[in-house]
Amino acid sequence: AQSVTQLDSHVSVSEGTPVLLRCNYSSSYSPSLFWYVQHPNKGLQLLLKYTSAATLVKGINGFEAEFKKSETSFHLTKPSAHMSDAAEYFCVVRSYQAGTALIFGKGTTLSVSS
Amino acid sequence: DVKVTQSSRYLVKRTGEKVFLECVQDMDHENMFWYRQDPGLGLRLIYFSYDVKMKEKGDIPEGYSVSREKKERFSLILESASTNQTSMYLCASRSGIDYGYTFGSGTRLTVV
């Protein structure tokens, strides 16, 4: 079965400093991995996805993630945080069972201070 | 753009009531899913459907059932609502071709 573990429930950064949100995955097969963001009282928005092409995936709003098979990780990074990045972030793996449903991590809340 | 529409944004129901949450998608997607979202738990899969009249249990199906009589509509049913079913419910659909997923905006259900 596939699963993801987000290693931090809450991350706080200052505006202009780098962002690192950590995610480890477990999968018996070559995984498809995603990062979604949810701003307060808003819907889910896809940031980026990895589907076995390039291991470094670029997403929207300056975010990127690197797939590392040897470490079973898919960490999300951004060089310089902006106040508007404050939101909840979900690391997600696609299930190979369950109708290929998405399996979500528990989420990481990113706070950005000025 | 694909749209997934959930009929109610906010809903308040009484304990023991039968509750219907409706989800409609407009792009002929085969696969549809119901999740609930709770703080600190992320999104958890309740039920999914890969075709009309086909349904499968997800990770937390207890207390819920679903109906898919038409391809575009996937209903979540709380047979007898309880306070521990107070949550945000999200519907999603997926194309069988390009694996793009689309989420609805959610229904926040409060059971009192």
Side-chain angles (χ1 to χ4, degrees), chain B residues 4 6 11 16 22 24 29 53 61 71 86-87 92-93:
Chain B
V4 175
Q6 295 183 233
L11 214 50
E22 305 289 345
V24 178
H29 283 177
K53 297 191 185 295
K71 194 173 187 178
T86 291
S87 187
S93 72

Side-chain angles (χ1 to χ4, degrees), chain B residues 30 49-54 68-72:
Chain B
E30 296 84 2
S49 169
Y50 49 87
D51 204 349
V52 175
K53 297 191 185 295
M54 306 301 284
R68 194 164 181 202
E69 297 295 319
K70 294 184 178 181
K71 194 173 187 178
E72 67 270 20

Side-chain angles (χ1 to χ4, degrees), chain B residues 56-89:
Chain B
E56 295 286 344
K57 294 179 180 179
D59 298 320
I60 52 165
E62 297 77 19
Y64 303 94
S65 63
V66 290
S67 172
R68 194 164 181 202
E69 297 295 319
K70 294 184 178 181
K71 194 173 187 178
E72 67 270 20
R73 185 180 297 271
F74 191 35
S75 303
L76 180 68
I77 305 158
L78 286 66
E79 298 291 343
S80 177
S82 63
T83 55
N84 63 12
Q85 293 178 311
T86 291
S87 187
M88 171 69 86
Y89 290 87

Side-chain angles (χ1 to χ4, degrees), chain B residues 39 48 55 74 84 90-91 108 110:
Chain B
F48 64 96
K55 58 188 178 184
F74 191 35
N84 63 12
L90 287 159
C91 176
R108 186 167 293 282
T110 302

